[in-house]
Amino acid sequence: MWRRFGEETRAILEAGTRYGWRNRTVRLLFLASAVQGLFFIFGFYSWQRYFLDLLGRELIWVNGVVTAAFAIAGIAGSALVKRVVGDGERRRSAGGVLALMALVQAALVGVIGLVGLLAPDGGTGPFLAAVGLYLVFGVATGVQSPVRQAFLNREIPSAQRATVLSLDAFFGDGGASAGQLGLGWISRAVSIPMAWVVGGVL
């Protein structure tokens, strides 16, 4: 088994390169995965502290409510995929839908950060605004995920699908690692809202 490790590793690398990196469409999705990864994991961990700071009260149960609402928003987004993509002659390209969702997500992240910068003392109004925008972000993510998965699967031969999807995850994780370091540093040096603004710009 161990004697075949190098051979299997080379085979996986070759398949990932041939059907992933050398495919222009898949390569763009890899790069998009890395760029979006810069914010996603940082955002997932930082919103809880950020939103409680905006609220101005340590009501931990609020985070549970927001988490549940975000999950429902994602389900709602997935339910809207057919309506967003369209059907027949009105069918939109998957690439166009992905680009639109990425722009919506980036704008929402930036605006959520601006809420904290414009209302540094927080309050119920800024908190509700940030949560509302975050739930819209959840809907956009719910639309994006299945469209992206279907688009990526369409571009990859079934025999190499697991290999290429693993490479896609590798790019996303690489972006997430860099994002947590960079945006985490901005959070400590300046503030969490500023890190969200930078994340949205990225």
Side-chain angles (χ1 to χ4, degrees):
M1 179 180 171
W2 285 105
R3 280 178 283 183
R4 296 193 58 196
F5 180 78
E7 179 184 335
E8 291 295 327
T9 302
R10 280 193 300 275
I12 291 170
L13 181 61
E14 287 171 7
T17 302
R18 180 177 178 185
Y19 298 103
W21 188 254
R22 289 181 185 166
N23 180 321
R24 181 175 177 271
T25 301
V26 176
R27 182 170 65 243
L28 288 173
L29 288 173
F30 284 173
L31 296 174
S33 192
V35 172
Q36 288 187 310
L38 287 169
F39 173 78
F40 276 17
I41 298 300
F42 167 80
F44 175 78
Y45 286 111
S46 67
W47 75 259
Q48 299 162 51
R49 178 70 268 155
Y50 177 27
F51 288 2
L52 286 182
D53 286 346
L54 279 175
L55 184 59
R57 300 174 69 187
E58 289 296 310
L59 300 177
I60 303 301
W61 62 267
V62 170
N63 283 343
V65 173
V66 175
T67 299
F70 186 81
I72 292 169
I75 293 168
S78 295
L80 290 172
V81 167
K82 189 171 182 181
R83 184 169 292 186
V84 172
V85 173
D87 205 4
E89 292 182 1
R90 294 187 159 195
R91 187 175 180 86
R92 298 174 181 87
S93 72
V97 172
L98 291 176
L100 176 62
M101 291 303 107
L103 287 171
V104 168
Q105 289 170 324
L108 287 167
V109 167
V111 174
I112 291 169
L114 283 175
V115 169
L117 292 179
L118 297 174
D121 296 329
T124 305
F127 167 77
L128 291 175
V131 169
L133 293 167
Y134 186 59
L135 296 182
V136 177
F137 175 84
V139 172
T141 303
V143 172
Q144 181 195 49
S145 295
V147 174
R148 186 184 192 282
Q149 199 65 40
F151 189 40
L152 189 56
N153 287 342
R154 190 185 71 187
E155 295 291 324
I156 308 166
S158 58
Q160 280 75 37
R161 192 161 291 155
T163 298
V164 177
L165 291 178
S166 295
L167 192 56
D168 179 54
F170 172 78
F171 275 86
D173 291 344
S177 298
Q180 288 181 85
L181 288 171
L183 296 177
W185 179 83
I186 293 171
S187 294
R188 289 181 67 100
V190 185
S191 67
I192 294 176
M194 179 58 75
W196 276 62
V197 171
V198 173
V201 170
L202 290 173

